Amino acid sequence: MSDAAAVEVKNLVKDFKGAFNGGKVHAVKDVSLRIAPGEVYGLIGPNGSGKSTTMKAVLGLVAPTSGSCAIFGRNSLKVDSRMEVGFLPENPYFYKHLTAAETVRFYGKLCGMRGRKLKERIEELLELVGLQDARNRRLKGFSKGMLQRIGLAQAMVQDPRLLVLDEPTAGVDPTGSREIRDLILELKNRGVTVFLCSHLLEQVQQICDRVGIIHQGILVNEGRLDDLISLENRTELILENASADLLEQIQSLVDVTHESKVVSSGNARTTLEDLFLRETKSKPARDRKERKPVSK
Amino acid sequence: MSRPASTSFFSPRRVLIIAQSTVTQLVRMKVFYFLAPIALLFLGMQHFDMPWYNGPEALQPEQELRMHKNICLGAMMVFSSMFAIVSTALLIPGDIEDRTLYTILCKPVPRLDYLVGKLLGVMAVIFIAMLVMDVLMVVTLHYRMEAKLVDAMEYMKNIGYPEREIEAGRADITSHGPTLILQYGVMSHFLKASVLAAVALLISTFSTSTLFTIATSGMIWVIGEFQSIARDGLFQDPVLGDTPGLAERIVGTLISLIFPDFQLFSSISDAAARAENILPADMAQLGWLAALYIGIYVVLSWFVFSDKEF
C-alpha cells in the first residue's frame, strides 16, 4: 500500500440533524479530494463552509453520512489509522493541570511510546517548538500562542506521516506564526504530509502545494496553487538597482509592441509581516528611531 | 516507512495511562481537601459522649462504639457517593467542552479504553480517599474502644464480676472495635461508590451538561437506595402475601435491571456497624454484583459513546 494517498476523501457527504422539524443541515456535499504523500494541502473557505467537518471526517471524529475517508489507505473510522496522524485542533485546550513536558509525555504514551525513546522525543519536540524554558510550567498559565506550540508538539509526538492542522497560527503573534510556517515547511522537506485549513490566505499561499476552496459544503475549486493563482496574460519582472534610464528603455521597448503594455511600475514592496519581523528582531526597542520603510 | 502495527481492541496499558492521568487531574484539582472536614469530624467524635451517658453501667459501651462506627461509615458513604457522581460528571463533559477529547481520540485510543480509563481513575481516587478515612476511623475507634474497655473492666472488677464474665465483656467490647467485619462495611461503600461512578459515566456519555449528569445520577442513587422497599410495598401485600401479576413482575424486574439496588450494599455496612457476622462469601457475592453492575453500565456507555460525534 506504499502508493496509497496520504488522505483520500471520496464523495464525502455529511448531514446533521436540524434544530426544527427533523430537517437536515447539509454540512458537506459530495466532497472528493486526494492528498499525495509529502504534499502540503490547504483547505480554505469561509466560516461554516464545511472545512472543520471535512477534517473531522478525515480524523474519524464524525462518521460520513455517505462516502468515505482514508488515511494512507486505512479507513479513518478505524483506530489503526490514527497511528499515522497528528492533529492540532483550532484553539486547542489540553489538561491544564499538566506541565508542557507532562502533556507531551501523556500523548506519547497514548501512542505506545515509552522509556528513553519517549524522553528524548519530549526534549526534541519542546526544543523544536521553543518551549524548553516552559517545560515544567503548568498549561493553565500558557498564552494562546504557547498552547498552539504545545499542540503542535503533541501532534508530532509519534512522528506521524500526516499532520492535520486546523488554523495552526490562530492567536499566534507574527513571529510565532512565521516560526510555525517555517516548521511546516521543514516537516514538508522531511516528507511529512500536511493537511491544513486557515483563514490566513497569505500563509496558505506561502506554504501549500495544492489548495481546495470549499464553499457551502461544496469543493468549488481545487488544484496546484501555482496553476490556480497565476494570471496567464501577465508577467512580473522585479529588478534590483535599476536606474531611471534602464526603466525608461524598458518602457519604450514595451511601447513599441502594440500587444503589450506596462500595467504598473514602482518600488517593489515588502510584506507587512516581513517588516514586522525585521523591526522586532533587529534591535532593542529603545535603540530604534522612526524610519522610513526601506525600498528595494 | 514501515506500516505501524494495528491497534489492539482493548489495551490495559492505555487504560492505565488514562487512569493515571485522571488521578493526577483529580489530585491537582485538590479534591482531597474534602477530607479535612471529615478528619475533623472523626477526631471530634472522640470527645463526644451521648448526653445520657453516665458511667459504664448506664449505657453499654458497645452502643457508644456503634454510634462512632455509624457516623464514620455514614460520612464515608456520603463522601464517596457524592464524589463518585460529581467527579465522573465533571470529567467527560469537561473533556468534550474544552476539546481535549479531540486530541485524545485522534491518537490510537479506542473509545472503550478512554471510558474504562476514566472510570478506573475515579475509582482509584475514591479508593485512596476511603483508605485515608478508613485509617482515621480505625485509629479513632481503637482509642475510643481502649478507653471504654479500661472503664468497663475497672467497673466490672470493682463490683466483683467473675473472671469469665469480665472476659465475655471484654470480647463483646473488642468486637465493636476495628475488626475485619468493619472493613467489609468500608468495602461495601467503596463498591457502591464505584457503581455510582459507572452510572454517572453512562449518563455523561449522552448528557449535554454536567448539571444534568449530576442531577440524574443523584436521582438514580436515591431510587437505588429505596427501590427494594418500594418494590416490596408496590408489588407485595405484606399482610396477605399476594403474589404480583405479570405486569407488576415485569415492571419490578425492569426497575431492578435499570436501577442498582443499593440497599444490598447498605445492609452489609449496617451489619458491619452492628458487628454482626458477615461471611467472606457474602462479600464475594456483593463484589460480583458490583462488578456486574459496573460491567453493564460500561458496556452501555461504550455503545452510546462509540457512535458519538464531536
Side-chain angles (χ1 to χ4, degrees), chain A residues 267-287:
Chain A
N267 284 338
R269 289 166 192 269
T270 183
T271 62
L272 187 59
E273 187 193 48
D274 280 335
L275 177 67
F276 175 88
L277 292 172
R278 199 168 57 231
E279 292 296 318
T280 53
K281 275 189 175 174
S282 55
K283 290 179 186 174
R286 63 177 183 279
D287 295 345

Side-chain angles (χ1 to χ4, degrees), chain A residues 1 14 56 61 63 74 80 82-84 93 95 97 102 107 109 111 113-114 154 158 161, chain B residues 1 3-4 6-7 13 17 21 25 28 95 98 100 102-108 118 309-310:
Chain A
M1 298 285 282
K14 182 62 195 174
K56 284 179 184 177
L61 290 172
R74 292 186 183 199
D80 290 356
R82 280 159 226 162
M83 202 61 211
E84 305 269 31
Y93 286 90
Y95 290 128
H97 62 277
E102 285 171 343
Y107 287 99
K109 281 181 173 179
C111 296
M113 299 169 78
R114 65 173 102 178
Q154 68 77 25
Q158 82 274 31
R161 286 199 284 164
Chain B
M1 224 179 281
R3 205 174 167 133
S6 63
T7 309
R13 193 170 164 265
I17 292 161
S21 154
Q25 186 177 5
R28 290 186 184 175
D95 278 6
D98 63 20
T100 312
Y102 286 13
T103 46
I104 294 175
L105 295 182
C106 287
K107 297 292 179 199
K118 284 282 170 191
E309 295 188 332
F310 303 102

Side-chain angles (χ1 to χ4, degrees), chain B residues 37-150:
Chain B
I38 289 173
L40 283 176
L41 173 75
F42 286 12
L43 293 171
M45 276 165 53
Q46 286 289 93
H47 309 287
F48 176 77
D49 285 331
M50 285 184 180
W52 58 88
Y53 182 77
N54 190 21
E57 78 286 3
L59 187 74
Q60 294 293 315
E62 296 91 317
Q63 275 180 292
E64 289 281 324
L65 297 173
R66 193 186 300 166
M67 182 198 74
H68 188 112
K69 288 188 283 184
N70 270 327
I71 293 176
C72 288
L73 288 171
M76 288 164 94
M77 189 270 283
V78 171
F79 169 81
S80 60
S81 300
M82 282 176 61
F83 180 82
I85 291 174
V86 174
S87 57
T88 314
L90 282 172
L91 291 175
I92 295 181
D95 278 6
I96 296 171
E97 272 167 34
D98 63 20
R99 284 179 271 192
T100 312
L101 193 61
Y102 286 13
T103 46
I104 294 175
L105 295 182
C106 287
K107 297 292 179 199
V109 177
R111 295 186 182 197
L112 181 62
D113 287 8
Y114 173 78
L115 288 175
V116 177
K118 284 282 170 191
L119 181 64
L120 286 183
V122 171
M123 283 168 64
V125 175
I126 294 171
F127 184 80
I128 296 165
M130 291 203 79
L131 196 66
V132 174
M133 289 190 283
D134 190 21
V135 169
L136 271 171
M137 178 180 72
V138 166
V139 170
T140 54
L141 186 66
H142 171 75
Y143 283 112
R144 195 164 194 177
M145 184 201 71
E146 287 292 325
K148 297 291 159 202
L149 202 59
V150 169

